[in-house]
Amino acid sequence: MSIIQMKNVDLYYDKHHALKNISGEIKERSITALIGPSGCGKSTFLRSLNRMNDMIQGVRIEGEILVADQNIYHADVNVENLRKNIGMVFQQPNPFPKSIYDNVAFGMRIHGMRDRKELDEVVEQSLKAAALWDEVKDILKKPAYGLSGGQQQRLCIARALAVHPQILLMDEPTSALDPISTAKIEELIGELRKQYTIVIVTHNMQQAARISDDTAFFLQGEIIEFDTTEKIFHAPSDQRTEDYIAGRFG
Amino acid sequence: MASIRGVTFLFLKEVGTKMNEVVLKDTRNRSAGNHSQKETPGIVQKKRMNREDLIVKSILFLCAMVSILTTIGIVAVLLVETLSFFKDVSLFSFLTDTKWTPLFKPEHFGILSLLSGSLLITVGASLVALPLGLMAAIYLSEYADDRVRRVIKPILEVLAGIPTIVYGYFALTFVTPLLRVIFPDMGVFNALSASIVVGIMILPMVASLSEDAMVSVPKSLRNGAYALGATRLEVARKVVVPAAFSGIISSFVLAISRAIGETMIVTIAAGATPKLTLNPLESVQTMTAYIVQVSLGDIQHGSIEYKTIFAVGMTLFVLTFLINLIAQWLKRRFKEEY
């Protein structure tokens, strides 16, 4: 079952043609890795899935992106609701300068949840789902900035999970972290796969090979190859994919 | 004061040690010169910079001291004259008397009348400037696109540079007649018009400084909130404003301090009748306007009337000082560091 379908998506930053004729499908409850050299458009593509590109001036997008069979670029789409359903984790951990609890509760609060008990419950669930609960359950009222980088990133994952998204977009979520924190987050991503559809941008080829089911290889704004991770890494059909994976460029 | 003395002491101490070092080095060099041949030019050069550094540092330090010394001087003068004022008038009657008539008999020295005038103007001005300024700042930093911001920001800064005397005339000749259409019974001199215009005067300051504070909130925080499905307004209210809170408070305090200290507008538009009232439609006199009035008159040096302006000045000083303290506390209490 595919949950996201891209149909001939083109994206321009003013004159610059950043995404060229992107088509494909992303399967539900799977991990899709986006790989490719810097500036190839994989982050741009990721941000177009929850319309975070709207924030950038001069962006124009053509074609269709369907999420659960609805074109998210249709004029009457509620963007806030879309982003609630498609969570995002960024490259740099970006917790709010608030307490750990308030960070996780932030999304629920802006979507109107006021009940203290319910909030407590979801905060606990989300922190548990992000494998952070045991480390922070006694310091929920402490500022989030007191946590380590890896903990902060898991907090950001918990924050995203708290609004119950169906899809989780991750933009190089471990590139700013040390190897141990990275391992923890990778393990967590594997765990989340059971409930969520995950699209992850990564610069780390081993990471893509380790955790993803499908892999899309981007080059200069195009998807060169999009297939199962198994096939991409062991029997790529395009020479450029093979060269990139073998480390011959990029 | 203690800290200033501390700083001076530390500085002198440092100068002392530096001097010693220089002297020691010189003698060492000289004695070394006897044994070795010439000075070795090359990678390891002798510390020639020491003296130069010291001179530059001293000059810069003196520049910094100018403002500190001026402050000390002002406070000292205020203090001396104020103390001498309180030899003639009791602090109790100063704080509780409801009339302020030092210039004619029977003399009363109740600061409350002037204080209420200043309070009325300041509160009125704050009611105009703080919400409007904050909203303008939110608009500029969160809603306006770059082109709009590039036009509006400089205009705001120009607005902040208009001489206050011009604002005063603006209040008297434009705002007051306008207000008298709504309140026909209101006098020509009234607190309302003055406080609105003082508010307009400090508004650009609030807007511009608050905007600076908001713009410096990292973009990543905004993205984090947008990605959770927050609207622009929610991002502004729940992420940007709290994160920029200490900067916003600073802008408020600066603005309020300016409103309290504002002289020209109130002298021209608010009148010259010290009155214990909270009715903005009445004519009032602020502390600053009183000081102007007395300073312009032919008051004998050393007389009680002369001393009143120092007592009033001291009160102003204490008031702004208190506001600064409150602001410090607020900043600490609600700080969100990023």
Side-chain angles (χ1 to χ4, degrees), chain A residues 80 83 94-95 97-98 111 145, chain B residues 220 226-228 238 336-337:
Chain A
E80 282 78 39
R83 296 204 187 113
N94 60 346
K98 302 176 190 293
H111 292 111
Y145 282 25
Chain B
S220 65
Y226 280 125
L228 288 167
K238 298 188 172 151
E336 282 194 348
E337 267 179 77

Side-chain angles (χ1 to χ4, degrees), chain B residues 156-321:
Chain B
L156 274 180
E157 269 142 30
V158 168
L159 221 63
I162 295 177
T164 55
I165 184 86
V166 176
Y167 279 113
Y169 275 112
F170 174 67
L172 187 66
T173 60
F174 179 75
V175 178
T176 301
L178 215 64
L179 288 170
R180 289 180 83 185
V181 175
I182 312 171
F183 306 106
D185 298 336
M186 191 174 71
V188 173
F189 299 108
N190 60 82
L192 184 61
S193 167
S195 59
I196 290 174
V197 174
V198 172
I200 293 172
M201 178 196 80
I202 59 176
L203 193 150
M205 187 183 206
V206 176
S208 179
L209 292 179
S210 297
E211 198 251 359
D212 288 344
M214 289 182 203
V215 165
S216 62
V217 172
K219 210 160 187 165
S220 65
L221 294 184
R222 291 187 180 84
N223 282 338
Y226 280 125
L228 288 167
T231 60
R232 257 176 211 280
L233 186 62
E234 283 162 347
V235 171
R237 274 178 48 221
K238 298 188 172 151
V239 176
V240 178
V241 169
F245 190 75
S246 80
I248 294 172
I249 288 292
S250 297
S251 82
F252 282 9
V253 171
L254 268 175
I256 292 173
S257 300
R258 271 205 74 182
I260 295 181
E262 171 47 36
T263 309
M264 228 52 232
I265 300 173
V266 289
T267 305
I268 293 176
T273 22
K275 207 183 289 173
L276 182 56
T277 176
L278 289 177
N279 180 358
L281 302 182
E282 287 191 54
S283 157
V284 297
Q285 187 169 41
T286 65
M287 293 187 274
T288 49
Y290 170 77
I291 295 175
V292 170
Q293 186 193 2
V294 172
S295 308
L296 293 178
D298 43 359
I299 294 298
Q300 205 189 334
H301 189 278
S303 66
I304 184 74
E305 294 89 343
Y306 169 82
K307 286 173 192 163
T308 54
I309 61 174
F310 291 95
V312 172
M314 192 70 190
T315 314
L316 256 177
F317 179 77
V318 169
L319 211 61
T320 38
F321 188 70

